[in-house]
Structure formats: C-alpha cells, structure tokens
Amino acid sequence: MEKIEVGYDAIDKTGNLAHHKFILYTRADGSTFQIHGGGSRDYGYSPVEELVSSGVPGLVGFGHLSAKVFKSSAKQQENALLAPREVIFEGEDLSRTFFKMAGMAQGIAEQESKYHADSNNSNTLVDRIVQWSGGRAPDLDKKHWSPGSLDDQEFDPEFFSKLPPILWGKDTYSKHKDVVGQLFKNAGEDAGEEDLQIEGALDPLKTPQRETDGDRAVMEQAGRIDWGATEETIRQRHVNEPALAAGIIAELASAKSLGSAWEQDFATRYGDYLVFERGSESSASDLLPDDPALPDRTDLSGYSPTANAVDPGSLIATGSGQERQSSYDTYRQLGSTPEEEAAAVDEYKALLKKSYVDVGGQSRVAEALATWRFERSWGLSGFVPEGQGTVVKHPVEKMYPDPEKDGHGYVRKDAESVLEARGIRAARWYLSPNEKSGRDKNKGMTDDQGLGPRMTLSYDDESGVRHTVTDSFQADVRSAVKGKREARGRMRRVEAGHAGPELPNAAADVAPTPVPAP
C-alpha cells in the first residue's frame, strides 16, 4: 500500500513553534519522493530559511514562490520520517497522483508570485496542491503552527477530485524528467536523461492535435478504451525503455482524465497501443471505466451555483411544524431585491476573473471554480423570511456545519431555546444573515466559546407582525460537533465488540447555550 503524506518540519529558531510543510510520497518498495516549496533564489526550502521573510528590510528577497521535486536520498528520507506527518492519500499505486501534484507545483512556480514567509510560502504551496488534488484539509497544522496555510473551508475533495490538474506547469517534463523517469520506470532500473526524449508528452493541458477521420472512426467503432490493457501493452512493448514507457503512460493518464479531445489526440499519435473494450454502445468519450490508477475525466455538465443547496422545501423553520413546499418554489430568484441580484452578479464576475487567473486560463475549469467559490457564500435557505427559492448570501446553511445531516437540528433547537427563555410564542421564526455574519465566518467557524457566526433571529407573532429578537444569535457548534464525535466513537466500540460503559450524556457536561443580548 502506498501513501502520500503532509509532513511538518519544526523551525528550531522559533522554539519549534512554526513549521515548514512538505509532501512525502512513499512507494510500495519503501522509496520516497518529496515536494517542497520555497523561494526562487534558493531560500525558504528548509525550516530555518522559512523563518525569514522577504519583507524584512535589509535582507535579500527570496524572489518568487518556487518548488523542488525529488527522490529522497537515504539521509533526506531519514529526516522526513522523523517529522510529524499525516496521510492525505492512500492506495495501491499513487504514482500518477504524485505526478499530478508535481505538475501543479511546477505550475505554481511558473506563476512567479512573490514569496512571502507568512502568506505565500512553502505551506501555501503544499496546501494548494493538496486542495487541487482533491485531498482533505490537513489537520496537524492546528497542532503544528504553519503560517501561510489555507483555511480548511478552502478544501472540498468532492469538487476538486473531478477537475483536471489545475495550473499545470508547461515545463513539468523538462524540469523534472529525472523524477518522471524514476516514478514510472520498471523496478530496479535507472532512467538516464538520454532516455527521456519525448518533450511535451506529459502536458495534459496542451492543445490536442486535430483528430483524423480515421481516428474518429476507430474510436466510434471500437467502443471505449480499455485503459488497463492499453497501459499493459505500452509496458510490454517498451520493457527495455522504461523512461519512454513512462512518458506514454503519463499521457494516457491525461487522456483519460481530460476526455474526448485528448483521447482522440492520443489515438492520433499512439493509436497502435490502444486496446478497446468490444461490444460497448458508448464511445470512449461517453463512458470511462472506474479505474483508481487513472483519475476520471472532468464532468462539469450541469454544474450550477445552487446545485448543492439545501432544498428549501425539505425543512422550513416554523413554530407550528414543517410545511411542504412544491418544486415550483425552487430556484425562483437570485437575491431578494434587484440590488442584491446585481451585487451577486458582480461578485460572480469578480470570482470568475480571479479563477481564470488562478487556473492559468483554463476556461471550463475557471467557470467551475468560480461557481464553487460563489456557492460557498450564496445558496437557498429554509430559515430566511424571503420567499422560498430565493438565493441569498450567508444563509445558515453556508454559515453553520450540519454534523448530523438533519437540516441543522441543533441550530433550530438553540433558536427555539432563546425564544422560550424570553417567553416568546412565535407563529413562525427566522434566522437571517446580517453584516456580522460574513465577517464572523471569515474569522473562523466558531469564536473562542465554540459559538458560530452571529445572525439575526426574528419571528412573526400570531397576528402576522414581525419582530426582531436579536442580531447576535449564535448556535453552539462545538457541542454539536462534540456530540457527533462521541456518538461515532460509541458506534465504533460497539462494532468492535467491546462497547464498554456508556459515556455520560454529552448534553450534561456542556454549558447551556448562552442567550445572546438584543
């Protein structure tokens, strides 16, 4: 079993307070490869160098953020294994995953963004690569302080795992051909530089050659590509040329990842390697087999800002039970006023522009990334007083986690507790975002007491008159997450056959939810 980890090198000059992140790939044979970020002037790659900022007067700047990718020597491997680490990916063969990470590290380096030790450094580079590769947010940086790390909210494995390599480095092959040869060579064989003479073959974002009519006919007639059999054919034909095989196999991975145009391009140049699955009704571009070794192609069809929003008809915050909502009420308008709609459109345009720059001009990827960023703040809600089907900014569903997947039951319970404590009988109550909500969320999921972002709690009385209770309502996120974690732990003990004594009621040792001041 292979694994890709994020490691944390302590910076002794800070009393081991600050850390330098790096990526460590351990292969089945025990060999390791590493990715480190740093400055283009050869500073910032080590924990000690990470301490110094290019913004300090009198010191030579580090230049732009750059990257080093290499196979570990015995000493380098020994040092890496001494550092705290956490597993991000695990699988039978992660060579392609690591290769994609290396390509994106090179892409970040080619952006030549200015290095800064506390905001654009090795930790930033590592987190960005993990994020773009579809990895989860690293956890150990909460224990091992790593300045420049991304916020956990930036990570979304379900979304990013569907994308092709973001910001792929056009010089990935030429800059790291030794690593490529070592990654994909047959075990025990060394690949010399003279064996790696297929420039450009490893760029998954290159403009494909125009497919010929013959290629198209072959693709349509034969059905979908048998990716595993094709890879085995390449290996067998070049058993004595491991570096050449590595380049062709890497391009095969890109063809599968990026879809029809790249499949046809591969067929144009390497058609005699292809093996097809016979009897398939679909073409290779319509149906790709599920093979973890070669990541699935991007499928962004139908992606919309509200695709993952909560169905407003599923849970409605009312004092008299839930009301069924028809699908006619879904996705009715963007913003509750023309001004909000205009602001939403402007915000999306700005995000699209930023995303286009961030991904190096890949238009489809930029559109998907901008949409993902937009829907992190905007969405439907079952808590707001606006008509159902209105997309609003910073609703409860975007501000608060839902650990039980029950429509934020703990938020509802806390809101009803506040109303009950004040002796309020509400025909219907609401939670709406205000100017504090987004500002609070940007500072973190909770405050130091474990309470979430502030929102406005209001209600309608029995005569239909609306009243504001407070603009500082906060639900108890920490207790909700803790309860879920303890329940999961009990379940694991039961499954293991030694449940042990029942844990005390989580609610018994948690302070009651503070009632926010009006």
Side-chain angles (χ1 to χ4, degrees):
M1 187 68 69
E2 299 188 345
K3 58 185 176 181
I4 294 176
E5 302 170 286
V6 170
Y8 299 79
D9 262 333
I11 304 174
D12 56 4
K13 297 298 184 181
T14 67
N16 294 333
L17 176 63
H19 293 76
H20 163 96
K21 285 182 178 178
F22 62 95
I23 291 173
L24 179 69
Y25 167 38
T26 302
R27 306 199 73 177
D29 62 5
S31 63
T32 61
F33 291 76
Q34 299 184 41
I35 299 175
H36 289 253
S40 59
R41 295 176 179 167
D42 279 336
Y43 292 97
Y45 288 101
S46 74
V48 174
E49 292 164 350
E50 198 73 30
L51 173 66
V52 185
S53 168
S54 57
V56 176
L59 292 177
V60 177
F62 284 9
H64 60 78
L65 182 60
S66 191
K68 288 184 177 180
V69 183
F70 56 89
K71 183 178 182 181
S72 308
S73 65
K75 184 63 176 177
Q76 289 169 332
Q77 181 166 318
E78 178 184 351
N79 290 337
L81 295 178
L82 290 174
R85 306 181 311 281
E86 58 183 313
V87 176
I88 301 298
F89 295 106
E90 197 166 18
E92 294 296 331
D93 182 1
L94 298 177
S95 56
R96 290 157 185 78
T97 301
F98 183 78
F99 174 65
K100 287 173 63 177
M101 288 179 142
M104 289 187 284
Q106 178 62 30
I108 291 174
E110 290 174 11
Q111 292 295 99
E112 298 189 351
S113 59
K114 185 178 180 181
Y115 180 99
H116 200 284
D118 64 0
S119 59
N120 193 42
N121 57 20
S122 65
N123 300 330
T124 314
L125 180 138
V126 165
D127 275 9
R128 192 65 73 189
I129 294 170
V130 171
Q131 176 203 32
W132 288 346
S133 300
R136 62 167 179 80
D139 289 327
L140 287 182
D141 51 13
K142 299 175 181 63
K143 178 180 179 181
H144 305 293
W145 180 52
S146 308
S149 297
L150 301 184
D151 190 283
D152 284 0
Q153 300 169 44
E154 292 284 330
F155 293 82
D156 188 341
E158 183 178 356
F159 171 72
F160 284 101
S161 62
K162 297 177 181 177
L163 297 183
I166 298 177
L167 212 62
W168 182 265
K170 62 181 179 63
D171 293 331
T172 298
Y173 177 72
S174 60
K175 293 286 187 182
H176 308 294
K177 58 174 61 178
D178 55 335
V179 171
V180 173
Q182 292 163 339
L183 277 176
F184 298 108
K185 68 181 178 62
N186 287 340
E189 294 184 316
D190 292 323
E193 184 170 334
E194 64 276 7
D195 297 322
L196 300 170
Q197 302 297 326
I198 44 176
E199 291 289 343
L202 300 182
D203 182 357
L205 301 178
K206 64 190 290 295
T207 302
Q209 299 174 11
R210 182 180 62 84
E211 65 274 12
T212 65
D213 293 339
D215 297 325
R216 184 184 297 275
V218 169
M219 300 284 283
E220 291 177 348
Q221 217 174 24
R224 65 184 184 180
I225 297 173
D226 187 327
W227 301 98
T230 299
E231 179 179 351
E232 184 60 29
T233 298
I234 296 169
R235 291 188 184 279
Q236 290 178 358
R237 291 193 187 181
H238 299 286
V239 65
N240 296 319
E241 302 172 290
L244 177 59
I248 300 173
I249 289 170
E251 191 157 357
L252 177 69
S254 299
K256 181 182 179 184
S257 177
L258 295 172
S260 59
W262 281 264
E263 292 170 21
Q264 291 156 358
D265 176 52
F266 187 90
T268 299
R269 291 178 290 138
Y270 304 111
D272 58 333
Y273 294 104
L274 289 176
V275 178
F276 293 94
E277 294 182 0
R278 298 289 177 177
S280 171
E281 295 294 330
S282 303
S283 71
S285 62
D286 292 330
L287 182 62
L288 299 180
D290 183 15
D291 182 351
L294 293 170
D296 287 342
R297 66 178 176 139
T298 307
D299 182 6
L300 302 175
S301 59
Y303 199 85
S304 69
T306 52
N308 297 321
V310 173
D311 178 2
S314 61
L315 290 166
I316 305 298
T318 67
S320 57
Q322 297 176 3
E323 298 177 358
R324 179 188 179 280
Q325 295 293 307
S326 167
S327 60
Y328 292 121
D329 294 315
T330 305
Y331 312 133
R332 193 171 63 200
Q333 66 184 55
L334 178 60
S336 57
T337 66
E339 291 76 18
E340 286 185 8
E341 180 180 13
V345 172
D346 288 344
E347 183 172 329
Y348 178 77
K349 288 179 179 178
L351 291 174
L352 181 58
K353 181 178 180 180
K354 172 178 171 53
S355 299
Y356 190 83
V357 173
D358 287 348
V359 302
Q362 304 171 58
S363 58
R364 291 183 68 237
V365 177
E367 290 171 3
L369 183 57
T371 300
W372 176 78
R373 286 169 165 169
F374 181 84
E375 69 172 13
R376 290 177 63 218
S377 298
W378 292 80
L380 298 171
S381 179
F383 291 86
V384 296
E386 285 83 1
Q388 297 305 314
T390 300
V391 178
V392 297
K393 188 173 185 178
H394 297 147
V396 168
E397 290 83 352
K398 302 297 181 181
M399 295 289 100
Y400 281 85
D402 189 10
E404 296 289 347
K405 306 302 180 186
D406 61 353
H408 296 80
Y410 73 99
V411 176
R412 297 171 184 277
K413 181 179 177 181
D414 288 356
E416 289 168 356
S417 296
V418 171
L419 296 173
E420 183 179 355
R422 300 194 178 198
I424 296 173
R425 294 179 59 86
R428 188 181 182 103
W429 57 265
Y430 312 95
L431 283 175
S432 307
N434 56 46
E435 69 279 358
K436 301 174 184 177
S437 305
R439 187 170 66 242
D440 289 353
K441 182 66 177 293
N442 289 337
K443 294 179 181 178
M445 183 66 71
T446 68
D447 61 15
D448 56 0
Q449 298 181 51
L451 305 179
R454 290 169 289 185
M455 305 196 76
T456 296
L457 174 61
S458 61
Y459 72 96
D460 292 343
D461 61 23
E462 294 180 354
S463 62
V465 178
R466 186 162 300 166
H467 306 270
T468 297
V469 179
T470 177
D471 64 355
S472 297
F473 168 82
Q474 295 175 271
D476 192 345
V477 176
R478 183 178 296 167
S479 294
V481 173
K482 178 182 177 183
K484 177 64 175 179
R485 187 181 300 119
E486 291 178 345
R488 188 184 300 119
R490 287 194 295 271
M491 180 63 70
R492 287 174 178 169
R493 286 192 293 275
V494 169
E495 292 174 350
H498 48 83
E502 188 71 20
L503 291 176
N505 190 332
D509 57 359
V510 176
T513 304
V515 178

